[in-house]
Structure formats: structure tokens, C-alpha cells
Amino acid sequence: MPAAAVSDDPAARPVDVLRTMNVLLRQRDDQLTAGFGKPDRPVIFVLAPPRGASTLFQQLTRSSLGVGCVSNIMARFWMAPYIGATLEQDMDDPNFVSSLKSYGRHYNPVNAHEPHEWGWFWAHWLRLSPGQLYCPPGQRIDGDGLNQKLAALQAVKQAPLLFDNPYAMCNIALLAKSIPQVLLVRMRRAPYYLANSVLNARIDRLGDVSAFFGHRPRDVARILAIDDPVEQAVAQIHAIMGEIEQVVANMGSSTVFTIDYPDIVRNPHAVMRRFSQFLAGHNCAVPMREPMPTFPQLRDRNHPKFVHPAHAERLRRCVAEYFGQDHVPT
């Protein structure tokens, strides 16, 4: 298979090189995974609205439990994941503990062993076009091929797999029809502070409170038509939370592990122990690191001091309108 052409633009070259590498390795990876069937351990997906602490959860899991997370190393091999996982395994640091930090415009963790969302992989298997989040009704995916890759990854990692990715989250119903055992991690946070964090991210990372931040729900056209950025952020959170609750209702509560934001920032060790017990209850015992790593003190950002005074009152009114007065902090 011929390699893709490399751009003359220096800024584009790293992505072009990765794409070329994946194209060259894809056929060999398919040969190596042809003998695999379906994953024999759970495949776990995180359900979280923007600013819901899902990255933090994945970092804590990567540092504490024997659960298969996608590292920044492995993520580069989205068309050759088995080869990538094998390379990652050879380079693995058994004592790795996440810094629980992330950087850059989208605040991705930067260490080679930190977890990655792996959007390249899920966009590829879900056949999503650039900018597309949701598969159209009736779309079919190569479930057998996807299961082979997931089974191969579990064989390398000897662990259930955990994915925190909006493409997968937006298409859970489709994935659950193909993957034998799907479990969900639902991240919950007060809508007032979720919307506030989205507004802060618009300002701090994009430099414009009116610039859209975070994933776009199904009815994004209606939301984008809202001129007021505060109401727009609240409407975005309301729509995404509604989609998450619909997924949970369809999947059944027994398959869902729920984390409330105050718990994960105040006592992450307790959350990790509960998560381990949840997996054990699904016939998937995972080893916990002993002793548990020491994590830096996490700040609980569900606090009025993190609310920008310019939009505090408008935020209160919009949250009361969309969620009810009992969701507005006193």
C-alpha cells in the first residue's frame, strides 16, 4: 500500500507522519489480529458532559487499578492498535502515577504514559466524517473487526478496557449492539458549575466567551441559535446531560458506575476502591496498586469563587430556567 504524501507545511508534518505510519502498519496489524474473536472482559465507556472530570477519572484509574487505558504512546497507532499496545507494553512504567494535570488548548495530559481520548480510533471505527459526532440512523459498523481489535488489546493488557471519548459516548447504543459486555461510568456534577466551567474555558482557552467549547449535542443547531453565551452554555449542558441520562435508562442501572464530582476531588482513593468493587461485581476483578499512590490535593471547583462575576447572576437565572431552582446554589 503506498504511503500518503507528506505535507510541505512544517506544522502539518507530525500529523502526516503519523497518518503515513498508520497506513503502512494497518495491513500487518489486521493480519496479527485476524485470529481474535470478541473481548472476554468488559469494555468500559465514560459518560460525562464537558468539564465533568472524566480526564481526572481516567488519570486516577491509570495510576491506581489494573484497567487497560490508552496511553499517549498507544494512541498514535489508531489503525494498528495491537502493534501500538505491544510497543506500549514494552515501554510501560509499572510505577507511573499521573500528575493529574493537563495542558494546551484542549488540556490534554502530555506525559507519554498519560491517558488519551483516542478520538482517531473511534472516529475510524464509527466511520465518522471530520466534525461529525453522531452516526446517522441505520449506519452499520464493522462490529467483527472492532471486536477483534478490542480482544487483541485485552490480550496484551490482560485487563478490561476503559475509554473516555466523546465519539464513543455519543454512539453507545450502536457500540453496545456489537460489543459483548459494555459497562458505563457516569460522571455527575452540578449543572451550575458545569456551565460555569464551560464559560471559564471559553474565556481562558479560546479567548472569547461566545466561542463554543466542548462537544456538540444532537440539537446543536438550536443551541447555536442562542445569542446569549451564558444561556447557550447552560442549554448545551442541559442537552448533553439529558442524552447521558437517556443512555443510562436504556442500558440499565446495573451496568452503570456513578461518580459525583465532590467525591472524586475530595476522596479519589475511595472512588477507586468503589470502582474496583463495581468491576468485581461484574466478574472482572482487577488488581489495585498497593500501597495506593499519593495524589496531590485536588481543588473542589464547585465553589462561588470560581464563578466569573460578569456572568454570575445571569448563570443563576438560566440554570433555574433549564434545571429548576433547586439546582441553583444558595
Side-chain angles (χ1 to χ4, degrees):
M1 182 179 296
V6 177
S7 171
D8 290 331
D9 178 5
R13 284 176 191 163
V15 175
D16 283 341
V17 169
L18 287 176
R19 187 177 295 110
T20 299
M21 176 187 72
N22 277 271
V23 169
L24 292 172
L25 291 175
R26 179 179 179 177
Q27 185 175 11
R28 181 55 181 156
D29 198 81
D30 288 345
Q31 292 169 347
L32 292 170
T33 57
F36 288 92
K38 296 183 178 183
D40 57 7
R41 295 176 173 88
V43 178
I44 310 153
F45 295 99
V46 179
L47 304 179
R51 315 303 298 146
S54 64
T55 299
L56 172 62
F57 169 73
Q58 200 178 185
Q59 290 174 312
L60 291 170
T61 302
R62 171 74 178 86
S63 304
S64 306
L65 302 179
V67 173
C69 298
V70 179
S71 72
N72 282 324
I73 297 171
M74 177 178 155
R76 270 59 187 174
F77 297 81
W78 67 92
M79 292 185 191
Y82 182 66
I83 293 173
T86 303
L87 174 65
E88 175 199 55
Q89 199 79 349
D90 289 342
M91 302 173 67
D92 188 40
D93 177 4
N95 299 313
F96 171 77
V97 176
S98 172
S99 67
L100 307 186
K101 295 179 180 180
S102 49
Y103 306 91
R105 177 176 175 180
H106 299 291
Y107 275 36
N108 294 312
V110 295
N111 182 287
H113 299 286
E114 289 278 6
H116 192 282
E117 283 194 346
W118 220 18
W120 298 312
F121 177 86
W122 288 108
H124 171 73
W125 283 101
L126 290 164
R127 301 177 179 176
L128 298 172
S129 302
Q132 183 184 12
L133 273 172
Y134 298 86
C135 292
Q139 177 160 321
R140 299 174 63 86
I141 62 172
D142 179 7
D144 291 340
L146 173 60
N147 276 315
Q148 283 183 326
K149 299 301 182 185
L150 297 175
L153 296 182
Q154 287 190 350
V156 174
K157 292 178 173 290
Q158 290 295 296
L161 303 175
L162 173 68
F163 298 104
D164 170 25
N165 179 264
Y167 298 134
M169 183 183 88
C170 291
N171 297 283
I172 286 292
L174 182 60
L175 292 171
K177 292 178 180 178
S178 297
I179 300 170
Q181 186 180 12
V182 168
L183 300 178
L184 305 177
V185 174
R186 172 176 55 178
M187 309 294 298
R188 293 195 304 200
R189 187 180 179 188
Y192 177 87
Y193 290 109
L194 279 171
N196 176 69
S197 189
V198 166
L199 290 167
N200 288 340
R202 289 179 172 198
I203 296 168
D204 297 341
R205 303 182 192 181
L206 304 180
D208 183 357
V209 73
S210 297
F212 200 91
F213 177 88
H215 97 250
R216 301 182 173 215
R218 288 187 185 276
D219 61 346
V220 67
R222 174 187 63 83
I223 293 167
L224 290 174
I226 299 172
D227 292 330
D228 175 18
V230 175
E231 182 182 355
Q232 188 184 79
V234 173
Q236 175 193 9
I237 293 300
H238 184 265
I240 293 171
M241 289 179 67
E243 290 181 13
I244 290 173
E245 292 310 307
Q246 187 60 57
V247 169
V248 169
N250 292 339
M251 291 288 292
S253 59
S254 65
T255 64
V256 181
F257 178 72
T258 298
I259 302 171
D260 289 306
Y261 175 84
D263 294 336
I264 198 170
V265 297
R266 294 172 188 171
N267 197 341
H269 288 158
V271 170
M272 289 296 101
R273 292 189 186 95
R274 285 202 300 114
F275 185 44
S276 176
Q277 293 165 0
F278 169 78
L279 294 176
H282 288 272
N283 300 314
C284 186
V286 296
M288 294 189 65
R289 183 177 294 186
E290 295 293 349
M292 288 281 276
T294 300
F295 297 116
Q297 183 67 42
L298 297 170
R299 288 191 294 177
D300 185 349
R301 293 180 176 271
N302 281 7
H303 193 281
K305 68 181 180 182
F306 294 106
V307 180
H308 198 294
H311 58 238
E313 186 53 39
R314 179 65 179 147
L315 181 61
R316 294 175 67 87
R317 292 201 302 270
C318 289
V319 169
E321 178 184 348
Y322 278 79
F323 290 92
Q325 189 63 42
D326 55 332
H327 288 279
V328 179
T330 56

